[in-house]
């Protein structure tokens, strides 16, 4: 587990920076090729050390590709559609958890479970032809013609008319300000503060998300059923997140989800300590609420982070925050296992109490960040620093925001 989650940390950081320099499309595909090779190869490893190294590569390539895909899906659409691309993509992660639980129940052998998870990765190779490069990233690199080609193809497929003036890119829109590196985030006090809060939020939501699932075997009953329910609980959590995002905004939705999940986990204290085995279903229910809320928060924080980060460092910033999430994920199995080591009633609730208390704290900190709902995505470092200070309404975003950036286009 430690090797796998450390791979996620390194992969998110390296592929995040690579995606901002090489492109979302190429870095995504490189990661997917490594994922397919390593996930199949690990099944046939003869000893532990090669197994651990391949687990490291699987973690780095798998989640590195996921972050790139999440960023592409956010950058390809306008304000009103981000909820569908940014949130719905997370539902397939939940389906994957249920799939693993089912294959584990049927196969009962790690090699067959691993192959059942690895072989479908071959389908990802088709992404090269079906997933285009992000026009936002192309514009940020001065590749106007490539961006326009993708936009025209998109318009043709969607049977949409795009006025010719929408393809105009001012020379001063593609200049040195569009160049950005990860260190620019640390050099800016505003962006650095926001990144710290987001990173802490990522760390805790990841710790809770994985930790509550890993604690499934400590709650009694069927491990496979508990694990399946933990995955299935994500779907209503993501659905609720999609419903409240446009009503409450990103900030309150993200913070609220974490606080609700934290309260549900902490609420297991009186249920376990004062009740008996007859209240075990209630304990599992509270844990499922905590998992659903953490899944909702995890989905929202992807969108929240992407919308707060400037285009020129968006993938790198996402990768950096995701690195913090990996720290939380690496700590999660030890916290979950500590409950088994303690045993008894206190051992049942101890992991959930830790996850819940930290989740509440992280949720409250997220309220310090600016709202991103109905706001135009910042492209440059300067725009990122000004974001939240001068609010921009949705009606200022034009039909193709990544071309005109909403400047002088009415």
């Amino acid at each position: 587990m430690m090797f796998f989650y450390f791979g996620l940390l390194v992969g998110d950081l390296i592929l995040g920076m690579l995606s901002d320099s090489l492109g979302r499309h190429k870095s995504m595909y490189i990661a997917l090729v490594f994922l397919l090779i390593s996930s199949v190869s690990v099944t046939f490893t003869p000893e532990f050390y090669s197994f651990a190294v391949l687990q490291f590569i699987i973690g780095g390539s798998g989640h590195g590709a996921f972050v790139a895909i999440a960023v592409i899906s956010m950058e390809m659409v306008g304000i009103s559609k981000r909820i569908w691309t940014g949130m719905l993509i997370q539902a397939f992660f939940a389906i994957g958890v249920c799939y693993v639980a089912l294959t584990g129940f049927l196969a009962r052998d790690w090699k067959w479970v691993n192959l059942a998870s690895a072989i479908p990765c071959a389908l990802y190779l088709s992404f090269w032809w079906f997933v285009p490069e992000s026009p936002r990233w192309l514009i940020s690199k001065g590749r106007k013609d490539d961006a326009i080609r993708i936009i025209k193809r998109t318009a043709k497929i969607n049977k949409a008319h795009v006025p010719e003036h929408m393809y105009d890119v001012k020379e001063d829109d593609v200049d040195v300000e569009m160049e950005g590196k990860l260190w620019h985030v640390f050099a800016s006090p505003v962006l650095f503060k926001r990144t710290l809060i987001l990173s802490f939020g990522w760390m805790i939501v990841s710790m809770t998300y994985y930790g509550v699932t890993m604690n499934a075997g400590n709650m009694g009953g069927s491990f496979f059923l508990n694990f399946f329910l933990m995955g299935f609980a994500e779907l209503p959590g993501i659905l609720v997140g999609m419903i409240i995002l446009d009503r409450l905004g990103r900030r309150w939705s993200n913070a609220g989800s974490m606080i609700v999940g934290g309260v549900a986990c902490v609420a297991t204290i009186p249920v376990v300590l004062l009740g008996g085995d007859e209240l075990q279903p209630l304990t599992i229910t509270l844990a499922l609420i905590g998992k659903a809320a953490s899944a909702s928060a995890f989905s929202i924080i992807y969108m929240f982070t992407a919308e707060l980060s400037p285009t020129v460092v968006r993938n790198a910033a996402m990768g950096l925050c995701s690195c913090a999430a990996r720290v939380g994920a690496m700590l999660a199995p030890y916290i979950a296992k500590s409950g088994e080591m303690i045993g008894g009633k206190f051992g049942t609730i101890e992991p959930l109490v830790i996850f819940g208390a930290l989740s509440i704290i992280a949720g409250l900190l997220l309220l310090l960040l600016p709202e991103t709902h109905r706001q135009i995505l910042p492209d440059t470092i300067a725009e990122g620093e000004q974001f939240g200070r001068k609010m921009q309404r949705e009606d200022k975003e034009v039909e193709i925001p990544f071309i005109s950036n909403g400047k002088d286009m009415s």
Side-chain angles (χ1 to χ4, degrees), residues 8 12 19 78 194 199 231 315 322 349 365 387-388 399 409:
L8 265 67
D12 285 347
S19 182
R194 293 175 182 175
S199 296
N315 217 118
S322 193
I349 63 172
L365 286 174
F387 189 86
E399 196 170 346
M409 304 291 289

Side-chain angles (χ1 to χ4, degrees), residues 1 45-46 117 126 172 189 247:
M1 286 183 179
T45 50
S117 301
S126 65
D172 60 356
R247 291 169 172 79

Side-chain angles (χ1 to χ4, degrees), residues 5 18 29 60 68 96 224 319 335 345:
Y5 288 117
L18 186 66
Y29 204 76
F224 294 103
I335 297 175
K345 290 185 175 181

Side-chain angles (χ1 to χ4, degrees), residues 62-81:
H63 204 268
F66 184 81
V67 172
I69 291 171
V71 170
I72 287 178
S73 67
M74 291 282 291
E75 292 183 340
M76 282 296 295
V77 299
I79 291 175
S80 63
K81 300 299 186 295

Side-chain angles (χ1 to χ4, degrees), residues 43 100 103-116 224:
T43 309
V100 170
T103 55
F105 175 76
L106 296 175
R108 304 297 178 100
D109 184 283
W110 74 269
K111 289 188 175 182
W112 288 110
V113 174
N114 194 77
L115 282 175
F224 294 103

Side-chain angles (χ1 to χ4, degrees), residues 235-253:
L235 296 176
I238 294 170
L239 179 61
V240 170
M242 295 178 67
I243 294 173
I244 64 176
L245 260 179
D246 284 340
R247 291 169 172 79
L248 301 181
R250 279 48 163 160
R251 180 179 58 180
W252 279 102
S253 297

Side-chain angles (χ1 to χ4, degrees), residues 149-361:
R149 191 178 302 112
I150 292 174
I151 295 166
K152 286 184 175 180
R153 178 188 172 198
T154 304
K156 181 179 179 181
I157 293 175
N158 289 319
K159 296 181 175 61
H161 173 68
V162 181
E164 285 299 319
H165 73 271
M166 299 296 291
Y167 295 119
D168 294 335
V169 180
K170 288 186 175 183
E171 293 302 321
D172 60 356
D173 283 347
V174 185
D175 56 18
V176 68
E177 288 188 359
M178 294 300 289
E179 292 297 326
K181 302 296 181 182
L182 184 59
W183 64 266
H184 288 147
V185 174
F186 297 97
S188 168
V190 175
L191 296 181
F192 182 59
K193 172 189 172 183
R194 293 175 182 175
T195 302
L196 282 180
I197 295 175
L198 286 169
S199 296
F200 184 72
W202 276 73
M203 182 177 72
I204 301 306
V205 74
S206 176
M207 179 190 296
T208 306
Y209 176 87
Y210 290 110
V212 172
T213 303
M214 293 173 184
N215 194 51
N218 193 37
M219 295 188 297
S222 170
F223 167 75
F224 294 103
L225 178 59
N226 290 347
F227 193 88
F228 179 86
L229 291 175
M230 288 297 176
F232 188 78
E234 295 184 37
L235 296 176
I238 294 170
L239 179 61
V240 170
M242 295 178 67
I243 294 173
I244 64 176
L245 260 179
D246 284 340
R247 291 169 172 79
L248 301 181
R250 279 48 163 160
R251 180 179 58 180
W252 279 102
S253 297
N254 203 170
S257 297
M258 296 193 72
I259 293 173
V260 169
V263 170
C265 290
V266 173
T268 58
I269 296 177
V271 174
V272 174
L273 295 183
L274 302 179
D277 294 338
E278 68 278 2
L279 292 181
Q280 181 190 5
L282 181 56
T283 304
I284 296 177
T285 300
L286 289 171
L288 290 175
I289 294 174
K291 179 60 185 294
S294 67
S296 179
F298 219 154
S299 303
I300 296 171
I301 205 167
Y302 268 91
M303 179 180 293
F304 197 19
T305 305
E307 291 180 341
L308 272 177
S309 305
T311 299
V312 291
V313 291
R314 180 166 295 123
N315 217 118
M318 289 277 287
L320 180 63
C321 289
S322 193
C323 284
R326 298 323 124 204
V327 174
M330 285 189 286
L331 293 174
Y334 294 97
I335 297 175
K337 288 293 181 181
S338 66
E340 297 181 15
M341 294 175 62
I342 295 173
K345 290 185 175 181
F346 184 74
T348 301
I349 63 172
E350 182 255 355
L352 295 176
V353 171
I354 294 176
F355 297 141
L358 290 174
S359 185
I360 293 173
I361 295 172

